[in-house]
Amino acid sequence: MTTDILLALDQGTTSTRAIAFDAALHPIASAQQEFRQHFPAPGWVEHEPEDIWRTSLATLREALGGAGVDPRRVAGIGITNQRETTLLWDRATGRCLHRAIVWQDRRTAEHCARLRSEGAELLLNERTGLLADPYFSATKLAWLLDHVPGARAAAERGGLAFGTVDCFLIWRLTGGRLHTTDATNAARTMLFDIRRGDWDDELLRLFRIPRGVLPTVRDCAADFGLTDAVHLGAAVPIRGVAGDQQAATVGQGCFQPGMLKSTYGTGCFALLNTGETPVASRTRLLTTIAYQIEGVRTYALEGAIFVAGAAVQWLRDGLGIIATAAEAGDLAAKADAAQSVVLVPAFTGLGAPHWDAEARAAIFGLTRGAGRAELCRAALEAVAFQTRDLTDAMRADWPDTHAMVLRVDGGMAASDWTMKFLADILGAPVDRPVVRETTALGAAYLAGLQAGLCPAPGASGATHWRLERRFMPTMSREEASRRHGIWQDAVRRTLTH
Ligand code: G3P
């Protein structure tokens, strides 16, 4: 039977999606399921591992069913996932010892503050490209080993396995035969030396992590085992794995140094391809692995913003001033041009380049004339201003960005008003692709590459990226700088340090 279908599984923070693609990477069927978020204490965020597993299996089956294809036609599954989220399970039973600790969880803030005050951040940053922040997996795993009764002893006996979501799903899909992750997910643990491409013994000692809990690490396009036939009706090969922002970078076809993508979901993650040499950031961006193919690592500078679309959700669900997210763009377009309301959406602190976990959201510039429309405009403008902060930082770290074009995706990229304003504030073209599910597209591409269905990155045939619309800046640079200046002033007044 011809194998010509690629199946992408995108296990995200609030929902799980599966999309079936044909060999030309056109989506043919998809399925999506949301799952419950657990907030057991202020600042804590957890997921039930069985929810992650159940929704993954269900959406994979539904996408296959929707495509109406025999599972034996699947050339490969590509897995992409919310990154950093930490799971620990029993190797004998496959059961997790605790709920997954989600990337947004801040319970290890004190541990990170201690690392900074002890001067360990420099070592962390040099080896992993990351910063001492609870965002990453290492302190979450240390917390599990220290707080789950018996976990440390079991880990030291070799009885436990740690993994990010990709690794947990590979383990479950292959019936526990494979304990493996890919280089991009490993790069987000804060235990992985991104230059050598291996777990780092000094960091393992620093975090008291026994080496035996760690998975092996493979390329993003590689053989990650066969699924148990019982799951999808046939044994299907897993052939691609990448963290979701890295998969989006691949899906956006950002294969050349200088290419930049930004994904606007709950948060916003901008990745700039910097080629085969990691670039150390002087502006508190992250240095990370964009993808690893045939043993060659391509690096990126990453800016992570914790709130983008979440601010619009707050207008809808928290304030109740809009009924749908789409309404925000319509109202913003009608806002009074004379008002300059600024919303700094630091609801869960500020990420790059400020990294202020204690900052909280604030609204500035309210007058009696300000209303719903001005608040909507402020929420959407904040996305553009935050992106500008990231691209300014990227320019400082990697000056070769003069001809910058930003490739966008994610839910907010659907708003024409927001994308036009983004182009104005950046002073650069903003390109929106035809397939906006770029995360799934990237995962499918990686699986297709390994299966021999897709051309190598940069090869003349690697054209899975197609432009839907380009937004060009028309605002004068003076006006863009004036507005950005007002934003920067508001941020300064919000920071706690
Ligand atoms: O680093 C966190 C990121 O991978 C989460 O992405 O799309 O699941 O919110 P998303």
Side-chain angles (χ1 to χ4, degrees):
M1 185 174 288
T2 331
T3 53
D4 55 357
I5 298 294
L6 295 163
L7 202 50
L9 174 63
D10 177 2
Q11 204 301 303
T13 310
T14 55
S15 73
T16 305
R17 262 181 290 202
I19 303 185
F21 291 85
D22 66 17
L25 292 175
H26 297 122
I28 47 176
S30 68
Q32 175 163 359
Q33 282 191 13
E34 295 200 355
F35 58 89
R36 193 164 155 208
Q37 309 289 310
H38 297 266
F39 307 108
W44 293 28
V45 189
E46 296 179 350
H47 290 161
E48 184 53 60
E50 298 312 317
D51 284 346
I52 291 177
W53 170 238
R54 178 180 48 76
T55 55
S56 297
L57 207 51
T59 52
L60 279 171
R61 286 176 178 157
E62 198 185 325
L64 257 184
V69 296
D70 187 308
R72 288 171 300 174
R73 275 180 59 190
V74 177
I77 296 177
I79 298 178
T80 180
N81 55 288
Q82 51 166 322
R83 306 166 304 167
E84 301 96 11
T85 296
T86 301
L87 297 109
L88 185 65
W89 63 92
D90 185 316
R91 287 181 185 274
T93 64
R95 307 294 302 176
C96 288
L97 275 73
H98 192 274
R99 285 198 197 124
I101 304 185
V102 177
W103 59 276
Q104 298 157 321
D105 190 292
R106 317 300 295 173
R107 81 185 61 182
T108 57
E110 241 174 66
H111 187 173
C112 292
R114 211 164 54 239
L115 290 165
R116 284 195 298 274
S117 69
E118 288 165 359
E121 193 170 50
L122 193 62
L123 169 76
L124 287 178
N125 186 250
E126 266 172 22
R127 297 283 159 83
T128 68
L130 309 176
L131 296 162
D133 191 272
Y135 178 21
F136 309 104
S137 315
T139 56
K140 299 181 196 297
L141 175 56
W143 188 94
L144 287 172
L145 292 173
D146 288 337
H147 289 81
V148 177
R152 184 165 292 284
E156 268 152 17
R157 282 197 306 273
L160 302 186
F162 150 75
T164 40
V165 168
D166 57 304
C167 178
F168 171 66
L169 290 174
I170 294 167
W171 172 281
R172 283 282 174 103
L173 285 166
T174 61
R177 284 190 301 278
L178 230 69
H179 183 212
T180 296
T181 188
D182 85 295
T184 67
N185 276 294
R188 312 299 292 190
T189 59
M190 209 148 71
L191 299 168
F192 193 72
D193 183 332
I194 58 168
R195 286 172 182 77
R196 283 192 309 110
D198 197 4
W199 302 114
D200 186 273
D201 287 320
E202 213 172 328
L203 294 179
L204 295 180
R205 273 196 300 281
L206 179 70
F207 290 104
R208 299 179 60 232
I209 309 291
R211 207 176 227 271
V213 301
L214 300 174
T216 53
V217 183
R218 297 193 181 164
D219 282 358
C220 299
D223 286 319
F224 291 91
L226 289 174
T227 64
D228 271 356
V230 63
H231 298 317
L232 300 174
V236 177
I238 304 169
R239 288 185 152 148
V241 177
D244 56 8
Q245 302 311 318
Q246 282 84 348
T249 305
V250 168
Q252 287 276 23
C254 291
F255 293 130
Q256 301 301 325
M259 294 184 82
L260 172 66
K261 77 90 200 175
S262 193
T263 300
Y264 297 98
T266 308
C268 155
F269 300 88
L271 267 77
L272 170 73
N273 182 325
T274 60
E276 290 174 22
T277 315
V279 173
S281 174
R282 282 163 294 136
T283 60
R284 295 182 77 71
L285 295 174
L286 307 173
T287 306
T288 201
I289 297 175
Y291 47 87
Q292 179 174 309
I293 291 173
E294 293 195 346
V296 178
R297 280 179 284 288
T298 297
Y299 295 90
L301 277 171
E302 173 174 328
I305 297 169
F306 300 141
V307 171
V312 177
Q313 266 166 20
W314 175 70
L315 296 179
R316 189 193 59 193
D317 306 336
L319 295 188
I321 61 170
I322 48 173
T324 62
E327 214 183 313
D330 300 339
L331 275 170
K334 293 184 201 134
D336 176 2
Q339 306 280 334
S340 57
V341 178
V342 178
L343 166 64
V344 181
F347 296 96
T348 52
L350 285 170
H354 310 289
W355 300 102
D356 185 343
E358 311 303 329
R360 288 297 172 264
I363 301 172
F364 297 91
L366 289 177
T367 67
R368 288 292 300 274
R372 288 183 328 131
E374 289 70 32
L375 276 177
C376 287
R377 187 182 63 186
L380 298 181
E381 285 184 348
V383 169
F385 291 131
Q386 293 190 95
T387 309
R388 164 89 183 254
D389 290 342
L390 297 181
T391 54
D392 283 355
M394 283 171 177
R395 280 200 168 100
D397 283 338
W398 207 74
D400 194 14
T401 42
H402 53 279
M404 186 180 82
V405 175
L406 180 67
R407 294 187 169 185
V408 291
D409 56 89
M412 282 188 108
S415 164
D416 291 352
W417 189 91
T418 312
M419 295 303 105
K420 171 67 174 67
F421 186 74
L422 180 60
D424 279 341
I425 291 301
L426 298 183
V430 168
D431 282 358
R432 188 167 67 189
V434 174
V435 178
R436 285 192 226 149
E437 292 283 0
T438 51
T439 303
L441 179 64
Y445 167 80
L446 290 167
L449 179 63
Q450 183 65 12
L453 290 182
C454 298
S460 52
T463 52
H464 60 261
W465 188 87
R466 286 184 304 280
L467 180 69
E468 181 253 337
R469 179 162 173 193
R470 168 168 281 197
F471 297 86
M472 288 299 289
T474 51
M475 187 183 280
S476 74
R477 297 319 303 136
E478 293 71 34
E479 177 61 4
S481 298
R482 188 188 68 79
R483 297 216 196 173
H484 187 228
I486 297 173
W487 158 262
Q488 285 177 310
D489 181 52
V491 171
R492 260 192 301 277
R493 290 197 269 161
T494 310
L495 292 173
T496 62
H497 56 242

